[in-house]
Amino acid sequence: MKDKGLTYASSGVDIDAGNRMVELIKPLVRATARPGANAEIGGFGGLFDLKRAGFTDPVLVAGTDGVGTKVKIAIETGRHNTIGIDLVAMSVNDLVVQGAEPLFFLDYFACGKLKPEIGTAVVSGIAAGCKQAGCALIGGETAEMPGIYKDEDYDLAGFAVGAAERTQLLPRDVRAGDIVLGIASSGAHSNGFSLVRAVAAKAKLKWDAPAPFDRARTLGEAALTPTRIYVKSCLAAIRETGAVKALAHITGGGFPDNIPRVLPKGLGVRIDLKRVPVLPVFKWLAQAGNIAEQEMLRTFNCGVGMIVVVEASKADAVSATLTHAGESVTRLGEVIADDKRNVAYDNNLDLK
């Protein structure tokens, strides 16, 4: 009897499952439509019309990122509907710090065995993040790769493109004496999760256990709190006040690695750590993991997800605009003369 020939399906890749997923996510994608994009998928590339978006002299700004090992918690808990928000947030927050409005987003979803319902849940989060950021989801790629990923595993990457009028690009004109504001984070966002997972293991806590810092939720639910998307509030502050000089997205590397990226030579900042609104999750991580303050500051956002640099005389106006847009804002310190662009600290974080 002649052996049956091999097929793509018998080697572990189901093209039909991919096609089913495309049909499932089409309504999610359509819901992200905005001027310049019709948010239809199925072609070989996504289209965007800059003229329809209303720009006159635009500079394009692009960014790409993933969600790190936070995706492992989504897989282990079976909670897939918010990790896509994190994916969008990590790229679009990097665009707005340069004064850019996010225009469109594309995702890459790689897995060992495609389960259309899980993929659709992930894309539902991506679509939700795009709507929060005001950008269109215009395309993506799904890759089923048995042998690279285990059946239940998947990974995510995303790519965002935005635009700013040439005269509105940030940072600009940062000077000594400018005020440093901090906008509150929603949690660990999408950074430091290898350490988060190590602390949970050291504390012998399962993801379905009550969170020690939030008994109303499981540890898994609390850990998967989505990254806050700062796009609309920061764009409002930039456009309505004209006083925002620089923004810094606090991701991996924390204050010491991210703030200097937006400072010109000869300047640093001084931060009063006593003013940082440390969230309960960070206090638990520091205590349960016996993590030193400097390690916390370089691994996590510690409660501040975005830094805003403004002229001293306009700090109150910028704070008011951000607060009106739904943000919690704290005055953290000021820009100082410093040849090495250091981040200097007064006092200590409240980690107890």
Side-chain angles (χ1 to χ4, degrees):
M1 184 175 177
K2 190 175 180 180
D3 288 341
K4 290 183 178 180
L6 291 174
T7 66
Y8 211 10
S10 69
S11 65
V13 179
D14 188 347
I15 293 175
D16 291 333
N19 290 335
R20 287 198 302 274
M21 180 172 158
V22 170
E23 291 304 312
L24 287 170
I25 67 175
K26 278 185 176 179
L28 301 172
V29 173
R30 290 189 190 109
T32 70
R34 56 151 293 157
N38 61 11
E40 283 292 334
I41 58 171
F44 288 94
L47 304 178
F48 193 92
D49 185 343
L50 272 174
K51 182 180 282 189
R52 284 192 58 215
F55 289 91
T56 56
D57 185 21
V59 174
L60 293 179
V61 183
T64 186
D65 210 337
V67 295
T69 57
K70 187 173 185 176
V71 73
K72 189 67 173 174
I73 302 175
I75 293 166
E76 291 174 350
T77 61
R79 295 177 174 274
H80 308 286
N81 62 329
T82 61
I83 198 73
I85 299 175
D86 293 287
L87 182 66
V88 175
M90 296 306 289
S91 286
V92 297
N93 285 341
D94 280 354
L95 299 190
V96 77
V97 301
Q98 294 183 266
E101 174 188 343
L103 302 176
F104 59 86
F105 189 85
L106 298 98
D107 69 280
Y108 176 77
F109 177 92
C111 60
K113 179 68 175 177
L114 180 59
K115 297 185 177 180
E117 293 75 17
I118 291 176
T120 300
V122 172
V123 174
S124 74
I126 294 172
C130 285
K131 286 192 281 187
Q132 287 183 36
C135 64
L137 178 58
I138 66 169
E141 175 68 12
T142 301
E144 194 173 14
M145 297 191 290
I148 302 295
Y149 298 95
K150 294 179 182 178
D151 281 356
E152 298 298 319
D153 285 345
Y154 63 83
D155 198 11
L156 301 172
F159 183 92
V161 173
E165 296 293 354
R166 196 174 302 273
T167 58
Q168 297 299 310
L169 287 168
L170 298 178
R172 59 174 184 251
D173 195 33
V174 176
R175 299 181 181 184
D178 288 340
I179 297 298
V180 176
L181 304 175
I183 308 179
S185 67
S186 57
H189 285 180
S190 297
N191 300 104
F193 273 86
S194 292
L195 183 52
V196 171
R197 291 167 58 239
V199 171
K202 180 180 180 180
K204 298 181 179 179
L205 285 174
K206 303 284 189 181
W207 297 122
D208 59 359
F213 51 90
D214 184 354
R215 293 288 175 176
R217 297 189 290 172
T218 66
L219 181 59
E221 286 178 292
L224 288 171
T225 300
T227 304
R228 189 162 182 82
I229 293 177
Y230 299 102
V231 169
K232 292 183 178 178
S233 59
C234 285
L235 286 177
I238 292 167
R239 293 167 176 174
E240 293 176 21
T241 71
V244 174
K245 294 187 171 188
L247 296 164
H249 185 200
I250 305 304
T251 54
F255 288 170
D257 286 2
N258 287 294
I259 297 176
R261 295 166 70 180
V262 301
L263 299 176
K265 290 181 180 180
L267 296 178
V269 298
R270 179 169 290 279
I271 302 291
D272 185 351
L273 294 179
K274 186 171 61 176
R275 297 184 180 182
V276 174
V278 180
L279 297 172
V281 60
F282 298 116
K283 297 182 182 185
W284 172 71
L285 287 167
Q287 294 168 23
N290 192 28
I291 304 171
E293 181 180 79
Q294 289 302 312
E295 185 70 13
M296 291 293 297
L297 283 165
R298 201 171 183 202
T299 305
F300 301 112
N301 64 63
C302 293
V304 173
M306 186 70 77
I307 289 290
V308 189
V309 179
V310 299
E311 185 179 332
S313 64
K314 299 178 180 177
D316 288 343
V318 173
S319 293
T321 300
L322 290 167
T323 301
H324 182 72
E327 305 292 1
S328 178
V329 185
T330 305
R331 187 177 293 212
L332 296 177
E334 66 177 347
V335 178
I336 59 173
D338 188 308
D339 290 338
K340 296 182 179 180
R341 296 195 299 185
N342 288 320
V343 178
Y345 303 115
D346 292 322
N347 299 307
N348 297 101
L349 291 172
D350 178 12
L351 293 174
K352 296 182 179 179

